[in-house]
Amino acid sequence: MFVSQPTTTHLLKSEHIASSASTTSSRSFIDTFLGTSKTINISRRRRSNKQEFSSKVTGVGSIRAVISSGDSIVETKTAPIDKSNGALTAKGTDVKVVLTIRKKMKEKLHEKVEYLWESFINGIGQGILIQLVSEEIDPETNSGKTIESNVRGWLPRESDSTYLVEYAANFTVPSDFGCPGAVLVTNLQSKEFFLMEIVVHGFKEPMFFPANSWIHSREDNPESRIIFKNQAYLPSQTPAGLKDLRREDLLSMRGNGKGERKEFERIYDYAKYNDLGNPDKDDDLARPVLGGEERPYPRRCRTGRPPTKTDPSTESRIEKPDPVYVPRDETFEEIKQATFSAGRLKGVLHNLIPSLAAAFSSEEIPFGCFSDIDKLYSDGVIIKNGDNSGLFEKLLLTSLLTKAMSAGKGLFKYNIPSIIQRDRFSWLRDNEFARQTLAGVNPVNIETLKDFPILSKLDPAVYGPPESLITKELINLELQGMDVDEAIENKRLFIIDYHDLLLPFIKKMNSLPGRKAYASRTVFFYNKGALQPIAIELSVPPSASSTINKRVYTHGHDATKYWIWKLAKAHVCSNDAGVHQLVNHWLRTHACMEAYTIATHRQLSSMHPVFKLLHPHMRYTLEINALARQNLINGGGIIEACFSPGRYSMELSSAAYKSSWRFDMEALPADLIRRGMAVEDSSMPCGVRLVIEDYPYAADGLLVWSAIKEWVESYVAHFYTEPNSVSSDVELQAWWSEIKNKGHYDKRNEPWWPKLQTKEDLSGIVTIMVWIASGQHAAINFGQYPFGGYVPNRPTLMRKLIPQEHEPAYEDFLMNPQNAFLSSIPTQLQATKVMAVQDTLSTHSPDEEYLGQLHQFHQRWINDNEILKSFSKFSSKLEEIDEIINARNKDHSLKNRTGAGVPPYELLLPTSEPGVTGRGVPNSVSI
């Protein structure tokens, strides 16, 4: 039997037809709704666990408005409810509130049983309590008018998506209630649930309250969850009835900096990087704290775990596979876990890599010949099942490895990286070595050579004379008749200089077993449209046993110099791989975006326009960073095991932050000008002209940058119309202050921080953040396997120094230079480890959200037609960029994009299919 009110049913049918085209979650509704509703004029209805369920349902007795202040709960009693209140008896309108809840896509038997029980509880009205809060204020209580009802319905009907279900609550809204601006949701059950959205039917048109959030159980936290309507308001424009809720919602996410965070919480707070080491487990796993005057660093999300027993300054670790705390809504959604990142990354780290280690008889086995490397793609790695039964199924692999099964064995075949797919010998050539500085996975360190002599800024008393051994005389020999001064003036000489960053670490790095490195400088000459390396300087710190600590190598024409030059380039590549991973990738995108994300949730209300703009660009970042701290950048993790700096990796990252990171230089045009790779030119779209026109990263990046900038400027101009509207925005000013003074505490006093007084200031700051999260991260992340999956092209570490003529190893080198090269690059185990991780980090998940696109469940993120038109224009612009980049990749005059065996530059193409594609710009740092 179905019990419903005819007027409401008729209303729902008409509104369902009107809204079905734009929403999946509103396609079907519950046929049965039971119960009554009540109206109460209060600031906020919150209850403690001590209250009886009957009082929650009936509303009889005193009402408690609970305001979160950090982790504490301040309760404010109001007068008992007067049931004769006119709002309760006045003739009103029937309203139906529909909640869309997401179930697990893959449920175990006990979870199915639990779900049926939850459905029953919700059906009889004892599972979820809903309160509508009006934008209008009640003059008697000085707070928003409120009306409440329990969710009811005898078993919900599933929507077109089988894992989405809908529940509803009935209300009779008084004529003077006004417009709802928020919904309070109280989960009366013992388990959390994932709320997609709330739709209110019964007013002039459906009202949407997007949630996409986990709703905690009242047993975990007595506070109700606040879900605001999809209307953006500056703080000064907040409707009177919502002001208290806006403040309370922000307070609920800040915490008080005390205690260990719980899994269900949504607390965003700051901490130093003091959780990378594990001294309680092993003295060799102790690591210094990053953050402070000696080792400055951005702040991470605080987890509040107790200190280690060995070192009070180090936070105790949660080791794999247990999760590290991140605020509840920052965790990966199930589709990402099931099809890719959490499941796959953990599978690779926890299952595949130990199995690979067991497959090799020793960690020190080098590749015997280049065909051994080729066999990784043709023959694969044989892993005995033994204790690894079910390993293949656990890994949930897509493009990383091709699975084949034989009797009692598992065979993993790596996919052929794109760098050798068209030309397996391209990595040997100088022009390819140079091309990758402009169109590879790390195209952000090359700069023009501005002065001679090349000088170090390090202390000469410690590191020797500052002058480089790369002299004018040496360079002149390579310039084909051109003078050095002329080449510098015409911007024809370029350099990648890792000398000052690396030299202070070289002695410590070379003391590690199986590691040998130099600090490097590489000079390039641009001639006839092509970049060529002409000199490499490799340095070690001065020592009492050696008077020579610098050597310069050039490309010779005899066999011996050819192989020596090849080894020198390999050392440069290993340095480049380390700087890329630790500085440009981890520090500049992952770590910095974490600080911005924390500040955004702490200081900007979810109804703030800038929050709505930035929110898609913060998706999954805290979770992937937590996984990285647990498995990748931690003491003894993959980065330390497979990259040259070893245990000093994160200290090196800190040194780069201290010496060269600055927020204003993270803007792409500013960075290009700083590096001398572009000059100011007002006639160009972004105000800059490239020094090397065929610079794929910069050329394509400026297209994406320009589109982001135009979108952000139109967005900001729409909301900030008054001259002082930016400077008077209290939330915005607190947000920017917190980014500088908490998120980047160690850089808080730097003079280069941009001001935030005008809408132009705001547009510039937000454009930088969106670019870092999207285009910048995509350009330096998704090429990791395509370029690094073939270890000779981009070795992540070197195990031997270049042999010198007076050394015994020199004779061995002359007898077998191929063996000397292969025994210098990573071992078979090291290579297969890093290849597996690089591929994982290069993979797009099926639920990726790309720049300029909206996820199907985020279509109603804002109720503003002008903004939606601007976003549509932004999306169209990115489609045009896709066409422009594809056309550039077919232009045979652009030698860094086309040619025999040259892979096209696609890293900044806006969209992609799932998997390792070497293209696609996601909204956020999501892997």
Side-chain angles (χ1 to χ4, degrees):
M1 179 180 291
F2 298 102
V3 181
S4 62
Q5 300 178 16
T7 56
T8 305
T9 303
H10 176 75
L11 176 67
L12 271 180
K13 285 182 178 179
S14 62
E15 289 179 344
H16 171 57
I17 294 172
S19 62
S20 61
S22 61
T23 172
T24 300
S25 59
S26 294
R27 288 174 182 162
S28 61
F29 297 97
I30 304 168
D31 290 313
T32 305
F33 302 98
L34 304 172
T36 59
S37 60
K38 300 170 287 299
T39 303
I40 308 165
N41 292 327
I42 58 171
S43 166
R44 185 168 181 189
R45 184 82 177 265
R46 301 280 185 99
R47 300 166 178 82
S48 70
N49 282 324
K50 295 179 180 179
Q51 290 178 279
E52 294 296 329
F53 177 73
S54 60
S55 73
K56 293 179 181 295
V57 176
T58 64
V60 177
S62 63
I63 304 301
R64 296 176 182 268
V66 181
I67 299 176
S68 172
S69 178
D71 287 352
S72 61
I73 297 174
V74 181
E75 298 183 339
T76 308
K77 292 184 179 181
T78 66
I81 299 173
D82 180 4
K83 290 190 176 181
S84 65
N85 187 303
L88 290 173
T89 58
K91 184 178 180 181
T93 303
D94 290 331
V95 169
K96 196 176 294 294
V97 177
V98 178
L99 288 75
T100 302
I101 293 174
R102 188 182 69 203
K103 301 190 302 178
K104 289 191 68 172
M105 288 179 285
K106 293 184 178 181
E107 293 180 310
K108 298 177 182 178
L109 179 60
H110 74 89
E111 291 172 329
K112 291 181 179 179
V113 173
E114 290 174 352
Y115 167 69
L116 291 175
W117 174 248
E118 291 166 8
S119 298
F120 173 79
I121 294 298
N122 289 332
I124 63 175
Q126 297 186 22
I128 303 173
L129 180 67
I130 296 295
Q131 294 172 273
L132 291 183
V133 182
S134 173
E135 292 181 347
E136 295 185 8
I137 200 166
D138 185 333
E140 294 184 6
T141 62
N142 202 33
S143 58
K145 300 174 183 178
T146 303
I147 183 171
E148 76 170 31
S149 179
N150 290 82
V151 166
R152 292 181 182 270
W154 192 256
L155 298 189
R157 178 187 296 171
E158 296 182 351
S159 71
D160 290 355
S161 297
T162 57
Y163 56 92
L164 298 182
V165 295
E166 294 167 339
Y167 295 96
N170 282 343
F171 294 85
T172 300
V173 178
S175 57
D176 64 346
F177 182 78
C179 181
V183 178
L184 306 187
V185 183
T186 305
N187 179 5
L188 306 177
Q189 302 179 66
S190 60
K191 289 182 61 178
E192 65 181 3
F193 63 84
F194 191 87
L195 178 63
M196 302 290 291
E197 74 170 357
I198 300 172
V199 184
V200 177
H201 299 271
F203 291 84
K204 291 182 179 180
E205 57 185 20
M207 297 182 183
F208 300 101
F209 297 73
N212 294 300
S213 178
W214 288 97
I215 307 300
H216 60 263
S217 166
R218 183 188 58 175
E219 295 179 6
D220 291 326
N221 185 342
E223 293 189 24
S224 304
R225 277 296 308 282
I226 307 170
I227 309 296
F228 290 110
K229 191 169 60 176
N230 63 342
Q231 184 71 46
Y233 291 111
L234 296 176
S236 61
Q237 300 168 342
T238 309
L242 304 181
K243 286 183 177 179
D244 286 347
L245 294 185
R246 182 169 185 149
R247 184 176 72 89
E248 290 175 30
D249 194 43
L250 283 174
L251 286 172
S252 71
M253 289 189 285
R254 292 177 189 168
N256 61 3
K258 299 178 181 179
E260 184 173 354
R261 298 272 64 90
K262 306 297 190 299
E263 183 180 2
F264 64 85
E265 291 180 323
R266 298 168 64 241
I267 304 296
Y268 295 79
D269 202 359
Y270 302 96
K272 296 178 180 180
Y273 276 74
N274 63 346
D275 64 340
L276 302 179
N278 193 351
D280 285 352
K281 184 175 182 180
D282 193 314
D283 289 343
D284 287 338
L285 294 178
R287 297 293 181 269
V289 174
L290 302 186
E293 185 175 352
E294 184 178 358
R295 297 182 183 88
Y297 217 62
R299 297 306 190 256
R300 65 170 176 90
C301 184
R302 180 183 175 276
T303 56
R305 296 190 300 270
T308 61
K309 299 175 182 178
T310 308
D311 180 5
S313 66
T314 297
E315 186 174 272
S316 57
R317 287 181 56 79
I318 294 180
E319 297 295 353
K320 57 188 180 184
D322 295 324
V324 175
Y325 167 82
V326 295
R328 186 65 182 97
D329 290 339
E330 302 297 329
T331 57
F332 292 146
E333 294 183 21
E334 187 183 1
I335 187 170
K336 189 173 180 73
Q337 292 178 346
T339 58
F340 170 57
S341 196
R344 183 176 174 196
L345 181 58
K346 288 182 178 179
V348 168
L349 293 170
H350 306 158
N351 300 94
L352 176 59
I353 287 178
S355 301
L356 287 172
F360 294 95
S361 58
S362 171
E363 292 189 8
E364 302 301 318
I365 298 177
F367 291 103
C369 57
F370 286 100
S371 62
D372 285 346
I373 303 174
D374 296 336
K375 287 178 181 179
L376 295 175
Y377 319 111
S378 60
D379 296 348
V381 179
I382 295 176
I383 297 177
K384 297 179 180 179
N385 277 345
D387 296 333
N388 297 310
S389 56
L391 169 62
F392 301 102
E393 289 73 20
K394 293 177 184 177
L395 293 182
L396 301 166
L397 302 178
T398 53
S399 65
L400 169 62
L401 306 166
T402 302
K403 182 181 73 175
M405 299 298 294
S406 60
K409 294 181 179 179
L411 186 64
F412 287 104
K413 294 181 182 179
Y414 285 83
N415 280 346
I416 299 175
S418 60
I419 192 60
I420 59 166
Q421 201 164 35
R422 299 186 181 195
D423 181 358
R424 61 179 298 201
F425 301 111
S426 64
W427 66 278
L428 289 166
R429 295 193 297 270
D430 284 355
N431 63 341
E432 179 60 24
F433 174 79
R435 189 189 74 85
Q436 290 182 32
T437 68
L438 301 171
V441 70
N442 189 41
V444 297
N445 283 109
I446 189 169
E447 52 188 295
T448 56
L449 184 58
K450 302 179 179 67
D451 300 297
F452 253 98
I454 303 169
L455 298 175
S456 169
K457 296 179 181 179
L458 298 176
D459 184 356
V462 177
Y463 298 104
E467 294 83 8
S468 168
L469 291 186
I470 301 176
T471 62
K472 280 189 176 183
E473 292 73 21
L474 181 67
I475 295 298
N476 279 332
L477 295 175
E478 305 292 335
L479 297 187
Q480 304 178 19
M482 184 179 292
D483 177 76
V484 166
D485 293 331
E486 181 185 357
I488 290 176
E489 183 179 353
N490 294 328
K491 301 186 185 300
R492 301 281 292 278
L493 286 175
F494 299 84
I495 188 170
I496 294 180
D497 192 346
Y498 296 139
H499 179 276
D500 285 11
L501 175 62
L502 293 178
L503 194 60
F505 291 91
I506 293 298
K507 184 177 181 180
K508 293 188 289 187
M509 288 164 56
N510 288 347
S511 68
L512 299 173
R515 306 292 169 94
K516 295 298 176 188
Y518 301 95
S520 62
R521 291 186 176 107
T522 309
V523 175
F524 302 84
F525 178 51
Y526 186 70
N527 189 40
K528 297 180 180 179
L531 199 63
Q532 289 290 330
I534 57 176
I536 294 174
E537 180 185 55
L538 301 178
S539 305
V540 295
S543 67
S545 60
S546 175
T547 58
I548 300 176
N549 71 312
K550 300 177 183 178
R551 286 186 170 86
V552 176
Y553 300 92
T554 59
H555 50 86
H557 300 288
D558 61 83
T560 301
K561 284 190 175 181
Y562 174 83
W563 275 103
I564 291 289
W565 176 246
K566 189 191 303 289
L567 285 168
K569 287 194 297 181
H571 274 280
V572 171
C573 286
S574 71
N575 286 348
D576 192 72
V579 173
H580 160 259
Q581 196 67 261
L582 296 164
V583 180
N584 299 325
H585 182 209
W586 171 258
L587 168 64
R588 292 176 59 188
T589 63
H590 283 260
C592 287
M593 279 308 303
E594 178 150 356
Y596 309 147
T597 299
I598 296 169
T600 300
H601 282 88
R602 285 170 55 87
Q603 297 298 340
L604 297 182
S605 166
S606 61
M607 67 172 72
H608 196 290
V610 174
F611 180 94
K612 289 183 176 294
L613 175 59
L614 285 176
H615 189 252
H617 305 289
M618 302 182 293
R619 183 176 185 240
Y620 291 157
T621 300
L622 296 191
E623 172 80 345
I624 193 62
N625 286 3
L627 280 171
R629 297 201 312 275
Q630 189 176 38
N631 300 302
L632 296 178
I633 63 171
N634 60 300
I638 296 298
I639 299 299
E640 288 193 1
C642 299
F643 285 77
S644 284
R647 63 179 296 148
Y648 306 104
S649 292
M650 290 302 289
E651 291 182 63
L652 175 65
S653 186
S654 171
Y657 178 72
K658 183 177 185 178
S659 64
S660 61
W661 185 89
R662 42 186 292 177
F663 180 86
D664 58 332
M665 290 294 107
E666 294 301 288
L668 178 59
D671 175 62
L672 292 170
I673 292 171
R674 177 186 62 83
R675 291 190 282 123
M677 299 303 294
V679 295
E680 294 188 50
D681 187 339
S682 59
S683 67
M684 301 300 289
C686 290
V688 297
R689 176 172 49 82
L690 295 178
V691 170
I692 297 178
E693 182 180 354
D694 187 13
Y695 184 1
Y697 157 76
D700 295 357
L702 287 171
L703 291 176
V704 177
W705 169 272
S706 179
I708 293 171
K709 182 172 181 287
E710 182 180 340
W711 154 238
V712 170
E713 286 177 346
S714 67
Y715 187 98
V716 169
H718 177 74
F719 288 101
Y720 292 91
T721 57
E722 301 300 323
N724 65 340
S725 53
V726 169
S727 60
S728 62
D729 186 331
V730 292
E731 286 183 7
L732 193 66
Q733 295 299 323
W735 168 75
W736 185 233
S737 175
E738 185 160 296
I739 285 172
K740 295 183 293 183
N741 296 309
K742 289 188 176 180
H744 288 275
Y745 178 84
D746 303 323
K747 295 262 186 177
R748 65 193 183 282
N749 295 322
E750 296 288 351
W752 41 253
W753 284 104
K755 305 294 183 183
L756 183 54
Q757 298 296 321
T758 67
K759 61 183 180 182
E760 289 78 18
D761 296 338
L762 177 58
S763 296
I765 289 168
V766 173
T767 299
I768 289 175
M769 292 180 181
V770 175
W771 162 252
I772 292 170
S774 57
Q776 183 65 53
H777 180 258
I780 58 180
N781 179 72
F782 293 104
Q784 289 192 72
Y785 188 79
F787 285 96
Y790 186 67
V791 65
N793 179 65
R794 196 168 174 78
T796 55
L797 60 80
M798 295 295 283
R799 299 190 297 133
K800 294 181 180 180
L801 297 176
I802 296 176
Q804 304 302 316
E805 292 186 18
H806 63 278
E807 297 173 348
Y810 191 76
E811 288 299 320
D812 295 333
F813 161 71
L814 293 177
M815 293 295 294
N816 193 341
Q818 174 181 281
N819 182 69
F821 181 88
L822 291 173
S823 63
S824 296
I825 65 175
T827 65
Q828 293 187 43
L829 178 58
Q830 288 169 330
T832 52
K833 277 184 180 181
V834 79
M835 287 165 66
V837 174
Q838 283 177 331
D839 185 281
T840 301
L841 299 180
S842 302
T843 301
H844 293 289
S845 64
D847 74 332
E848 199 82 90
E849 295 181 4
Y850 295 98
L851 194 63
Q853 296 185 351
L854 286 176
H855 192 282
Q856 60 174 324
F857 298 128
H858 300 162
Q859 294 291 327
R860 292 189 289 262
W861 65 288
I862 193 168
N863 182 28
D864 194 309
N865 287 332
E866 288 301 315
I867 290 299
L868 294 176
K869 288 178 183 177
S870 293
F871 186 81
S872 178
K873 183 179 178 182
F874 176 50
S875 300
S876 298
K877 185 71 173 180
L878 289 167
E879 291 176 2
E880 293 175 13
I881 290 172
D882 193 288
E883 295 176 0
I884 293 171
I885 293 175
N886 283 324
R888 287 174 174 176
N889 286 332
K890 296 176 182 178
D891 186 344
H892 293 289
S893 68
L894 301 176
K895 302 302 182 185
N896 290 321
R897 296 176 180 269
T898 59
V902 176
Y905 186 77
E906 298 181 328
L907 288 170
L908 285 165
L909 281 171
T911 60
S912 172
E913 298 297 320
V916 179
T917 63
R919 59 174 292 169
V921 181
N923 272 326
S924 61
V925 180
S926 57
I927 185 59

